[in-house]
Amino acid sequence: MEFTHHGLPIVLSDDWWAEAGMAGFTPSSTAYHSDPRTFPGQRIFEVRIEDIGPVRRAPGVGIFNDSPDTKVAARERVVAILLGFRSGAAMPPVQVVKAEPLSSHSYKLVHGTHRLYCSLAAGFSHVPAVEGFDINAPDG
């Protein structure tokens, strides 16, 4: 399956999509179900996927990649997310920050690329989000 987000080409393996049983999936809400326990005390809000700028990775690094921290393969990560969508499981919200003032998008994603792009592929128009910490922002 191929799709784009603000001109960024994204490829999600048809095998992974099939493994998760996503054929014919239609979301029953605007966003996946979020788990408030993952960010206690923080307000979770829905953000339109269109309001989030595209994720630009380093050359040669795909959108769906293995986790170097947990050693979990991209396939396992994506299939688990898609199965969560199908079952209505509560999952962590993505983390966003306000985009730069001259940006054409309202938000920049700082954590949750797989959840964002799986949401787009699954037909959600929004993602649950919390305000995150932008490691690239200068100290003020």
Side-chain angles (χ1 to χ4, degrees):
M1 148 183 304
E2 295 183 29
F3 53 100
T4 62
H5 180 234
H6 300 300
L8 175 71
I10 302 159
V11 177
L12 192 152
S13 168
D14 291 332
D15 291 340
W16 300 353
W17 188 258
E19 182 178 345
M22 292 298 287
F25 176 81
T26 302
S28 60
S29 59
T30 57
Y32 66 83
H33 183 64
S34 65
D35 185 352
R37 296 172 298 170
T38 55
F39 292 97
Q42 282 193 265
R43 181 179 75 88
I44 297 174
F45 55 100
E46 285 192 7
V47 175
R48 285 180 353 116
I49 292 172
E50 285 301 309
D51 290 340
I52 300 172
V55 174
R56 304 281 182 201
R57 297 219 195 250
V61 178
I63 289 296
F64 299 112
N65 57 7
D66 298 344
S67 172
D69 299 333
T70 63
K71 309 290 189 240
V72 177
R75 181 196 63 75
E76 292 175 68
R77 296 172 76 185
V78 168
V79 170
I81 291 167
L82 297 174
L83 288 170
F85 292 169
R86 285 191 51 236
S87 69
M91 294 185 279
V94 301
Q95 292 175 290
V96 297
V97 293
K98 296 272 188 201
E100 295 293 323
L102 298 178
S103 173
S104 57
H105 311 291
S106 301
Y107 293 97
K108 173 184 171 186
L109 185 78
V110 293
H111 190 72
T113 302
H114 288 78
R115 282 168 277 145
L116 173 68
Y117 288 123
C118 284
S119 292
L120 183 60
F124 291 110
S125 59
H126 294 69
V127 288
V130 295
E131 290 282 342
F133 173 74
D134 186 357
I135 197 166
N136 296 317
D139 253 350

